[in-house]
Amino acid sequence: MKIIIAGAGEVGFHLAKLLSYESQDITLIDTDKESLTYADNHLDIRVLRGDATSIAVLKDAQVQNSNLVIGVTSSETTNITLCMLAKQLGCERTIARISNTEFVDCKDTIKFDELGIDELISPEELAATEIQLLLNKSAFNDTYEFEEGELIMVGVSLPKSAPFVGKMVKEAATIFPELHFMPIALKRMGTQYTVIPRGDTVFKEGDQVYFITVKEGVDELYKLTGKKKEEIKNVMILGGSKVGFKAARDLCAKKFNVKLIEKNKEKAFDLADDLPTALVINGDGRNVELLEEESLESMDAFIAVTGNSETNIMSCLVAKSKHIKKTIALVENMDYFQLSHSIGIDTLINKKLLAANNIFRHIRKGDVVASMRLNNLNAEILEFVVKPGSKVTGNSIRNLDFPKEATIGGVVRDGVGVIALGGYEIQAGDRVVVCCLPEAISKIERLFL
């Protein structure tokens, strides 16, 4: 695919980096010389300095021959204008990063596709949604829902007390006679290797394991992983950033008791006006005494979303020392993901990774309706809609020429999620969730074309 990315900031660079690994034809546009030089020196892509809304620059980038234009500059006006121009100049699909979530809320009213914008992405909205999902599945450190929760992915670090530690996957499956979950990816503690589990794969203490399950399987996983289903009601949020505000707004709407701490006095007053059901406190969240005065110990969850990754991590560690059930930190540095479980924070979230996951499904071949990369694992999850003439149609799973580096986690048929085993026959219209390592992606895509 020929892809043009406007904006060499954190989201744009991260996207270009991931796509360049897959040998996509990438052109990165930005006005900042330093950012482009860094990208040019570190990635196998074409860089172009200039204004992304300049028609001359877009023609130089060969926009008329491009399959996808992604606007991820810091200016949503630039991103929207770019997409409108790119579509007029002959680009197939366009994606615009926005910060004003009104645009997302009003997608049905404002026909953005008629303006030339196929998709709107708000990293802040995605982060706020992720926080809410994590609190709903509080014992797990990563979650994702397919088809409004018909299939649910959860990630968990296995404690020593988990009943199937030391057992093979096929042995663990016999603990419950009716299988409602499927392990799809695993990373051993202290290693960087991602494993696609097979029947003879042994679960070990400290493994970070990802499961696909149906709604009723979530409770089984709580039992099997030795985790308790904690009731989350009282939440403290550190930082009145866009993510902090959106998370507080969404949690208040779900009847959570929310305390939000913001250092800037003027901003704190504005937040108090906008969040009438939340308690907004003007203070420095790095001050442990302040946190204790505001009853940190009585909180069920602590969410740190300031603009400083180190502040977020350190304040979560303070919260964890007070035996808070759930801690979530927003970080910008991708390298921190490898530290999260070893230092004791439940979950790290990253806007770049969330935005990239959302954008990736537009790059995949076949009818991919969802795509995500697993945090700190070298694996990707794809959700395909099965076409009538594809190689998988009409075949049982065990008869498919499926690579060992991939596994089918589940199928949604007629709106109902199913954990599909070897004898399950795939039909046209099924939505199939696949987890695979990077080297297997192209082969998987060919099976679903």
Side-chain angles (χ1 to χ4, degrees):
M1 284 181 81
K2 179 170 177 54
I3 301 168
I4 297 171
I5 301 173
E10 291 173 334
V11 178
F13 178 82
H14 181 63
L15 262 177
K17 181 181 177 182
L18 294 177
L19 293 170
S20 67
Y21 290 160
E22 301 184 7
S23 303
Q24 305 280 5
D25 181 2
I26 308 295
T27 301
L28 184 63
I29 303 174
D30 203 295
T31 53
D32 186 67
K33 185 178 180 181
E34 194 174 322
S35 298
L36 286 179
T37 302
Y38 183 83
D40 195 25
N41 291 337
H42 289 80
L43 306 175
D44 183 21
I45 62 172
R46 181 192 176 201
V47 298
L48 190 58
R49 189 180 179 196
D51 182 353
T53 60
S54 162
I55 294 173
V57 169
L58 289 174
K59 285 183 176 178
D60 190 10
Q62 298 180 338
V63 68
Q64 68 277 9
N65 300 322
S66 63
N67 305 104
L68 181 64
V69 166
I70 306 170
V72 285
T73 72
S74 56
S75 165
E76 68 179 18
T77 305
T78 299
N79 299 335
I80 289 170
T81 306
L82 159 71
C83 290
M84 293 167 67
L85 291 172
K87 206 59 177 285
Q88 292 282 323
L89 292 168
C91 173
E92 289 179 17
R93 288 188 65 77
T94 61
I95 300 173
R97 173 191 176 178
I98 52 140
S99 53
N100 184 352
T101 52
E102 274 189 328
F103 292 149
V104 177
D105 298 336
C106 298
K107 274 201 290 190
D108 294 333
T109 310
I110 309 296
K111 306 295 183 187
F112 285 98
D113 55 337
E114 293 178 9
L115 298 173
I117 306 162
D118 294 305
E119 195 73 28
L120 296 169
I121 303 286
S122 168
E124 293 80 13
E125 187 74 31
L126 292 170
T129 303
E130 179 79 356
I131 287 167
Q132 196 172 320
L133 265 176
L134 289 165
L135 293 184
N136 289 339
K137 311 283 187 301
S138 59
F140 303 115
N141 50 38
D142 206 350
T143 61
Y144 190 84
E145 292 189 354
F146 298 91
E147 303 309 311
E148 298 181 352
E150 284 302 320
L151 288 177
I152 303 165
M153 185 210 74
V154 294
V156 62
S157 185
L158 293 184
K160 191 176 183 178
S161 58
F164 55 60
V165 165
K167 293 183 171 63
M168 290 188 290
V169 170
K170 57 187 176 185
E171 292 174 324
T174 62
I175 296 175
F176 280 88
E178 292 184 13
L179 190 65
H180 287 126
F181 62 89
M182 176 77 72
I184 56 167
L186 177 154
K187 194 180 83 163
R188 302 287 186 204
M189 186 168 68
T191 73
Q192 295 302 311
Y193 300 106
T194 301
V195 177
I196 301 296
R198 297 293 165 196
D200 57 355
T201 302
V202 177
F203 291 110
K204 296 181 180 179
E205 179 189 352
D207 283 352
Q208 175 68 14
V209 187
Y210 285 83
F211 296 92
I212 293 284
T213 182
V214 290
K215 289 175 181 175
E216 57 268 31
V218 174
D219 287 336
E220 290 175 6
L221 279 173
Y222 276 117
K223 296 173 190 172
L224 279 173
T225 55
K227 299 284 185 178
K228 291 181 180 179
K229 189 171 184 177
E230 304 280 9
E231 182 68 28
I232 301 288
K233 197 65 186 170
N234 301 313
V235 180
M236 183 177 282
I237 299 175
L238 178 61
S241 61
K242 287 179 181 176
V243 176
F245 168 72
K246 288 174 173 58
R249 178 199 63 191
D250 294 347
L251 293 174
C252 285
K254 297 278 185 178
K255 306 303 181 186
F256 285 81
N257 300 321
V258 177
K259 283 187 180 181
L260 190 151
I261 299 175
E262 169 53 44
K263 188 178 178 182
N264 183 286
K265 188 174 182 179
E266 189 178 337
K267 194 172 187 180
F269 276 105
D270 289 340
L271 287 166
D273 290 337
D274 293 334
L275 299 166
T277 57
L279 176 59
V280 179
I281 299 147
N282 175 220
D284 190 343
R286 295 172 296 182
N287 185 333
V288 178
E289 284 185 10
L290 173 70
L291 296 177
E292 289 174 344
E293 284 173 13
E294 296 303 333
S295 307
L296 174 62
E297 291 184 10
S298 68
M299 293 294 125
D300 300 313
F302 183 86
I303 302 163
V305 287
T306 73
N308 186 293
S309 300
E310 289 75 19
T311 296
N312 296 340
I313 289 171
M314 293 307 296
S315 56
C316 276
L317 291 176
V318 171
K320 207 65 186 172
S321 72
K322 304 295 183 184
H323 307 293
I324 304 298
K325 298 171 189 172
K326 186 78 174 179
T327 54
I328 301 171
L330 179 72
V331 298
E332 294 300 327
N333 191 330
M334 300 294 290
D335 297 331
Y336 287 153
F337 274 104
Q338 298 173 12
L339 302 172
S340 61
H341 306 305
S342 60
I343 62 178
I345 296 172
D346 294 313
T347 307
L348 298 181
I349 58 174
N350 180 281
K351 291 186 293 183
K352 293 178 288 184
L353 193 61
L354 291 169
N357 285 342
N358 209 285
I359 290 169
F360 253 89
R361 73 177 189 270
H362 301 283
I363 293 147
R364 296 285 166 237
K365 296 171 186 171
D367 277 0
V368 177
V369 291
S371 171
M372 67 172 298
R373 289 193 167 221
L374 297 177
N375 290 348
N376 200 23
L377 269 77
N378 188 30
E380 190 164 332
I381 295 182
L382 305 169
E383 182 187 356
F384 292 93
V385 176
V386 178
K387 296 178 179 178
S390 73
K391 294 178 182 177
V392 300
T393 308
N395 281 312
S396 59
I397 290 173
R398 67 166 62 95
N399 293 333
L400 296 174
D401 183 22
F402 228 67
K404 287 185 177 181
E405 300 84 8
T407 186
I408 291 178
V411 177
V412 177
R413 176 176 293 171
D414 299 326
V416 179
V418 179
I419 300 302
L421 302 180
Y424 191 88
E425 187 176 295
I426 295 173
Q427 298 176 5
D430 285 352
R431 291 171 176 256
V432 180
V433 176
V434 179
C435 180
C436 56
L437 302 184
E439 57 266 31
I441 288 174
S442 58
K443 189 170 184 179
I444 295 297
E445 288 176 336
R446 286 196 294 273
L447 287 172
F448 285 90
L449 278 175

